[in-house]
Amino acid sequence: MRRAPTILHLDMDAFYASAEQAAKPSLRGKPVVVGGIGPRGVVSTASYEARVFGVRSAMPTAQARRLCPNAAYLTPRFTLYRRVSDQVMELLHALSPLVEPLSLDEAFVDLEAGGTEADTAAARAVGERLRRDIRRTTGLTGSVGLAGAKMLAKIASEQAKPDGLVVIEPGTERELLGPMTVRTLPGVGPATAETLRRAGIHTIAETAEAGEAELVRLLGKAHGTGLYAMALGRDERPVVAERDAKSISVEDTFDVDLTDRTRVRAEVTRLADRCVERLRAAGRSGRTVVIKVRNYDFSTLTRSETLRGPTDDPGVVREAAARLLDLVDTTGGVRLLGVGVTGLADFTQEDLFAQLATEKAAEEEAERERRVAAEAAREAADEPERPRRWLPGLDVIHEEHGAGWVQGSGVGRVTVRFEQPWSGPGRVRTFPVDDPALRPGEPLPLVGGPQSGGPTDPSTGPAQESPAQEGPAQKGADQGGSAQKAPAPQSSAPATLPNSVSARAASEPGTGPETESGAGMSSR
């Protein structure tokens, strides 16, 4: 534990949704939900306006639509999010060489390693300057927590949300943590919380009072000892510049359960290839291949096979995944498949059998490609080109009207709103889905546009709609775009904190924790 709050935790506010609101003037101040838009999609991020209705990250999109039917439901644009994340991380690296990214929108920073003086005033000044720089550079807002330990800095940033800064002075940890639920502590999930609840332990103060011996008895030595230390506010974990990945994996959820065994095998092969692409992009190899299968009844199982040595060979991973799939009964229907590689290493072990498998797979793939190409050529002569699938939220360009984004599509039509981050709300127009003048576009920068007088400021509130007739496709199957304005979140100051905890001015918006979804195998 440090004697000064020089560990900083930054968490961007409703990152994906805020980026979409900054990019789309017509959605500012309105409920926005980013995630999978299909019947089995999951919410990635909800704007604060959508959270008023109870929409949360990791919630099924179908449930979110019932809670907030008038929200704009948009497909994620990771190209934009990564671009903004790179800008934010560059600002963090300017503060210190020790930056530990946790995700695209979240990171720890060791301010002392960057030369910041070890006192509260200096740390606070750095935090406030960082918030101003993020707003100026990206047009978005982030919340900052400062403390003498990583766990406390993260708790502080959650207390600061949205768009605030909270400092936890060393020495006041137990006073602050005491009334909080045990779920606040890292590593306490539903199962651990239930075990503690049955023992009569609900808060962090009660966890500390239970004592180390009782926690070890309930949870085991490693978990119990670590939990007791954190309940006392002790967290000695350092900020590390690079986090070593333990596994690399991808997964897909299907709109309709897969019952055809041939289709299931083909999907596993495709996922294995994507997994190897990620493995090679990271410069790694892996020793253990894992498949994940979620059945029609939501039961989930995994199977794994450990190879003789680390590999990044797609043929080896494909064959291992196929062997594992043979051990699983999929006749009832499969709703999700995943393939992953664990036991990562920085080298590959040359293997004669792997080389033979690769050569055989290459020959089979070449033959398959020849057959597919021939079949495609025959079909192209007989069938017109199939129209593109226009997903809500994605960027488009029209030869006459310029840049815009898809509000919705259906019944052979696509509705587009033509606006840019630096413009006012734009007009809506509807086109046939196969309109030759309409093509996919690239995300525009959120700030510094040609007509921008300055950064896009999310705090300016909802913009006024320009008169326009909504196209008939706006209420199509993939409905997105302009929504009715949601009630503004009620301002509520955080629960009384110790005098040593400094929060933002009372005039700023209320607080509340938030999370970005993402766990387990992911194709994100």
Side-chain angles (χ1 to χ4, degrees), residues 76-90:
R77 297 187 298 156
F78 289 106
T79 300
L80 171 64
Y81 309 149
R82 290 190 183 98
R83 182 187 302 164
V84 176
S85 176
D86 289 343
Q87 293 176 312
V88 173
M89 295 302 166
E90 185 176 349

Side-chain angles (χ1 to χ4, degrees), residues 225-267:
T225 300
L227 188 62
Y228 179 69
M230 289 188 175
L232 297 178
R234 297 200 300 260
D235 179 11
E236 302 298 337
R237 294 175 299 163
V239 176
V240 293
E242 294 186 8
R243 293 161 55 89
D244 193 29
K246 296 181 180 179
S247 66
I248 292 178
S249 57
V250 295
E251 68 179 28
D252 271 345
T253 300
F254 306 103
D255 291 342
V256 178
D257 291 342
L258 304 184
T259 55
D260 183 352
R261 184 72 176 183
T262 302
R263 170 73 188 282
V264 172
R265 182 180 288 273
E267 291 294 338

Side-chain angles (χ1 to χ4, degrees), residues 47-61:
S47 69
Y48 286 101
E49 295 85 357
R51 296 180 194 193
V52 172
F53 296 90
V55 180
R56 294 291 183 269
S57 299
M59 172 183 289
T61 302

Side-chain angles (χ1 to χ4, degrees), residues 131-332:
R131 292 176 57 223
R132 292 194 299 269
D133 289 345
I134 289 173
R135 182 186 289 270
R136 173 180 52 80
T137 303
T138 70
L140 306 180
T141 64
S143 296
V144 171
L146 291 162
K150 290 169 69 172
M151 174 191 73
L152 297 168
K154 184 173 176 63
I155 290 173
S157 69
E158 291 177 350
Q159 293 284 333
K161 284 190 171 294
D163 190 21
L165 181 148
V166 166
V167 178
I168 298 178
E169 289 279 11
T172 66
E173 297 89 359
R174 295 191 66 176
E175 183 182 359
L176 170 67
L177 294 174
M180 294 182 178
T181 173
V182 291
R183 290 295 301 274
T184 306
L185 297 175
V188 179
T192 299
E194 177 60 20
T195 299
L196 295 174
R197 186 196 65 79
R198 289 198 300 266
I201 300 172
H202 304 87
T203 66
I204 296 178
E206 292 170 346
T207 305
E209 291 169 1
E212 183 174 357
E214 176 65 7
L215 294 177
V216 168
R217 185 186 69 81
L218 292 171
L219 306 172
K221 184 171 179 57
H223 197 183
T225 300
L227 188 62
Y228 179 69
M230 289 188 175
L232 297 178
R234 297 200 300 260
D235 179 11
E236 302 298 337
R237 294 175 299 163
V239 176
V240 293
E242 294 186 8
R243 293 161 55 89
D244 193 29
K246 296 181 180 179
S247 66
I248 292 178
S249 57
V250 295
E251 68 179 28
D252 271 345
T253 300
F254 306 103
D255 291 342
V256 178
D257 291 342
L258 304 184
T259 55
D260 183 352
R261 184 72 176 183
T262 302
R263 170 73 188 282
V264 172
R265 182 180 288 273
E267 291 294 338
V268 167
T269 298
R270 182 180 61 83
L271 290 168
D273 289 342
R274 285 175 52 196
C275 182
V276 171
E277 288 178 5
R278 288 191 173 189
L279 196 67
R280 289 182 168 181
R284 309 299 297 275
S285 61
R287 186 181 179 90
T288 301
V289 178
V290 183
I291 68 165
K292 176 180 177 182
V293 180
R294 180 166 296 153
N295 295 313
Y296 69 97
D297 59 356
F298 285 88
S299 61
T300 303
L301 57 85
T302 60
R303 295 290 184 268
S304 65
E305 177 181 319
T306 299
L307 308 172
R308 284 174 290 181
T311 184
D312 64 353
D313 189 299
V316 173
V317 176
R318 281 197 298 263
E319 290 195 356
R323 287 194 297 270
L324 294 170
L325 182 63
D326 289 339
L327 304 176
V328 181
D329 180 11
T330 61
T331 55

